[in-house]
Amino acid sequence: MTNYLLRNINIVNENSIAATDVLIKDGRIERIGTAIQATFAVKEINGEGKYLLPGAIDDQVHFREPGLTHKATIYSESKAAVAGGVTSFMEMPNTIPNALTLDLLEDKYSIAAHTALGNYSFFMGTANNNADEALKVNQHRNSICGIKIFMGSSTGNMLVDNYLTLDKLFRESEVLIATHCEDEKIIKSNYEKIKKAQPVLTPAHHPLIRNEEACFESSLTAIQFAQKYDSRLHILHISTAKELQLFSNLKPLKEKRITCEVCVHHLHFTADDYERLGYLIKCNPAIKAPYNREALWEALLDDRIDVIATDHAPHTLQEKGYYRDSTGNLMLTESMQYEQAHAGLPLVQHPLLLMLYYYKQGKITLETIVRKMSHAVADCYQLPNRGYIREGYWADLVVADIDKPQLVKREDVLYKSGWSPLEGFTFPATITHTFVNGNLVYENYGNAVWNESHKGMRLVFER
């Protein structure tokens, strides 16, 4: 394989920024230092004026394979991820069939081994009737990222609302439990009340149906189970100010037993955007009123929120209720109804660029971006040799030109679904190189160049 020497590049790592050289050999970071002289053949890359970040690790994506490949595939979405600087991903079990057995889970690993351009892991799914099977993950704790519990409705038979099942999972799981927290009874009650008063629902009703109370009560329940058994709990996609009172910054991340994350769309959009984007930003949990976004930013920056992720969840335009007109603009289908519009939006190509936009806005530092998208995820999941720029670590690396703007254009969107809610938005930065395990998979100097000769690795965990 090709070895690389990055010259005079600004490394963003472990709360500091320093200009230096980085030598990559046999897939790993061989040396970090000034004026490095390689004793073997290398390809040199001039990094002057650019920034080197550890590859982002996205712990919450839906790549739709198997069973829903008309929306996405592991290949297509991992390619989009790599273009966006996401070098590792952890994928959710609500595919078809639902990943509710170890055999079905291993089928997904097999697909990824042949097609994923980034490093990969897959969550074991849970249902009211599969606790014993799900808990077999305890014997595979070093090769499976965790157990996923949908405490709100999802695809197929994956809603876990039986308290005996929840009790058993929290009591006996020896691996991280990731939860989608929305209270199903509250959601149904809200829907019935609003539907009675307003028979024709609009996108703006979504955060009223899936409201703050539904999120808070479900998150509180998960935390109570975790505290009862000292379980390792990670609550996904926090979306409300109210939930933030449930989390603390009194301990460093590595000592926390209960952690949480925020997704980029909850940091970027608010309920005000439904008027402009409608069902394109319909997702669960819902994007809510602006004061929630401000509270999420505050909690992210003071370490009550530990991780930034995407919850990348692609659907076709038809499933979202849209089509493109003759000029390529996204247009709402007039007959589309609230109940028919699928929830979820594609995001994995742009999370790092979106955070670099907020860096330019003075909202967040480069060091914090790296900490929340790389370091913290590696620490949260106990991923060895990834998430940091250190000698001996795998060379999962991203080069960014933070002064080269990039417009999100339809033709540059790599998702199989073919659209992005960020179309027309201009980022202030560009990802110019993405390395996965030392392989330069993606280069972009105006036109993307791909090297797909090497596939990603199955992630391992040090537990």
Side-chain angles (χ1 to χ4, degrees):
M1 64 185 300
T2 304
N3 299 313
Y4 295 90
L5 179 57
L6 283 65
R7 290 284 192 197
N8 195 32
I9 195 163
N10 296 297
I11 295 179
V12 186
N13 187 58
E14 302 189 67
N15 294 315
S16 69
I17 301 176
T20 189
D21 298 346
V22 178
L23 180 63
I24 301 170
K25 180 183 179 184
D26 297 333
R28 294 183 183 259
I29 300 169
E30 175 79 3
R31 187 179 167 196
I32 302 169
T34 56
I36 293 175
Q37 298 299 316
T39 58
F40 46 85
V42 296
K43 178 179 179 180
E44 289 200 14
I45 296 174
N46 179 13
E48 188 171 357
K50 296 185 177 66
Y51 288 78
L52 185 70
L53 289 65
I57 306 170
D58 194 341
D59 75 337
Q60 191 189 177
V61 301
H62 301 263
F63 283 179
R64 305 304 191 194
E65 191 172 8
L68 296 164
T69 53
H70 68 285
K71 301 176 191 278
T73 65
I74 291 172
Y75 167 74
S76 66
E77 310 311 282
S78 67
K79 185 171 185 175
V82 166
V86 176
T87 55
S88 299
F89 64 86
M90 301 177 204
E91 206 260 358
M92 293 299 164
N94 54 332
T95 42
I96 298 177
N98 300 153
L100 294 172
T101 70
L102 281 176
D103 287 344
L104 290 170
L105 193 64
E106 286 301 326
D107 288 345
K108 297 174 77 169
Y109 279 105
S110 179
I111 295 168
H114 293 93
T115 64
L117 297 185
N119 304 312
Y120 52 88
S121 192
F122 297 89
F123 281 91
M124 167 64 87
T126 53
N128 281 327
N129 59 0
N130 87 321
D132 288 333
E133 180 71 17
L135 289 166
K136 291 179 182 178
V137 172
N138 289 341
Q139 282 71 57
H140 303 271
R141 61 175 61 84
N142 295 325
S143 60
I144 296 174
C145 52
I147 290 172
K148 171 67 179 290
I149 302 178
F150 286 94
M151 297 175 72
S153 59
S154 181
T155 302
N157 180 37
M158 296 193 71
L159 170 64
V160 184
D161 57 0
N162 184 309
Y163 271 46
L164 293 177
T165 302
L166 289 169
D167 191 87
K168 182 178 178 66
L169 291 168
F170 278 91
R171 182 176 69 247
E172 298 183 24
S173 177
E174 298 171 16
V175 301
L176 180 145
I177 297 172
T179 56
H180 176 132
C181 288
E182 291 184 287
D183 187 282
E184 194 69 12
K185 291 180 181 178
I186 293 174
I187 292 169
K188 288 182 177 179
S189 175
N190 289 340
Y191 173 80
E192 290 168 2
K193 290 176 184 176
I194 294 172
K195 183 74 172 176
K196 186 176 181 179
Q198 185 74 41
V200 179
L201 300 180
T202 69
H205 287 110
H206 195 54
L208 306 179
I209 293 168
R210 292 179 172 264
N211 67 357
E212 289 89 342
E213 197 66 26
C215 295
F216 176 83
E217 290 299 327
S218 184
S219 291
L220 176 61
T221 298
I223 287 172
Q224 288 171 334
F225 274 115
Q227 289 175 334
K228 180 178 179 180
Y229 296 114
D230 194 30
S231 314
R232 178 64 186 91
L233 170 64
H234 184 65
I235 299 186
L236 304 167
H237 45 45
I238 297 296
S239 62
T240 75
K242 188 171 184 178
E243 287 171 284
L244 296 173
Q245 65 187 279
L246 300 173
F247 302 97
S248 170
N249 57 9
L250 298 180
K251 292 182 180 179
L253 173 59
K254 288 185 178 181
E255 295 179 18
K256 290 184 179 183
R257 297 292 290 167
I258 298 173
T259 54
C260 69
E261 73 182 32
V262 65
C263 291
V264 290
H265 49 296
H266 292 122
L267 292 173
H268 184 63
F269 298 113
T270 75
D272 294 345
D273 293 304
Y274 287 114
E275 183 176 356
R276 178 173 59 92
L277 294 169
Y279 295 124
L280 293 174
I281 58 168
K282 181 186 179 185
C283 59
N284 302 332
I287 292 164
K288 297 179 175 67
Y291 70 87
N292 293 287
R293 180 177 64 177
E294 297 314 308
L296 292 171
W297 271 108
E298 182 180 343
L300 176 70
L301 297 176
D302 73 15
D303 292 337
R304 282 173 289 157
I305 294 177
D306 304 287
V307 166
I308 297 173
T310 66
D311 193 17
H312 171 78
H315 300 285
T316 66
L317 279 175
Q318 183 178 8
E319 290 168 336
K320 296 294 284 185
Y322 286 78
Y323 66 95
R324 290 191 187 273
D325 66 13
S326 59
T327 62
N329 293 320
L330 295 173
M331 305 296 292
L332 178 64
T333 303
E334 289 186 11
S335 60
M336 194 60 178
Q337 298 179 15
Y338 169 83
E339 292 82 0
Q340 297 172 323
H342 291 216
L345 53 160
L347 290 159
V348 80
Q349 190 173 342
H350 300 115
L352 185 53
L353 289 173
L354 194 55
M355 289 302 102
L356 290 174
Y357 164 78
Y358 282 105
Y359 159 70
K360 288 281 192 169
Q361 297 292 310
K363 194 84 171 178
I364 189 171
T365 66
L366 292 174
E367 296 95 324
T368 302
I369 292 171
V370 163
R371 185 159 57 88
K372 298 295 184 177
M373 301 186 77
S374 304
H375 302 343
V377 195
D379 292 344
C380 189
Y381 286 85
Q382 298 170 283
L383 272 170
N385 302 314
R386 299 193 190 275
Y388 291 82
I389 301 177
R390 293 174 177 169
E391 293 178 356
Y393 275 49
W394 288 107
D396 297 335
L397 301 169
V398 178
V399 179
D401 186 337
I402 65 171
D403 296 313
K404 184 178 181 181
Q406 178 180 324
L407 173 67
V408 181
K409 297 180 290 185
R410 172 191 177 188
E411 56 267 31
D412 296 330
V413 171
L414 296 174
Y415 312 130
K416 187 172 182 180
S417 60
W419 67 277
S420 167
L422 295 166
E423 288 179 35
F425 189 83
T426 298
F427 295 113
T430 297
I431 305 298
T432 62
H433 303 74
T434 304
F435 294 86
V436 181
N437 305 314
N439 301 301
L440 182 53
V441 181
Y442 172 77
E443 290 182 83
N444 179 14
Y445 291 107
N447 292 304
V449 177
W450 291 89
N451 176 6
E452 301 181 13
S453 61
H454 293 80
K455 300 301 182 283
M457 293 181 179
R458 181 170 180 162
L459 294 172
V460 297
F461 305 89
E462 207 166 59
R463 294 166 170 160

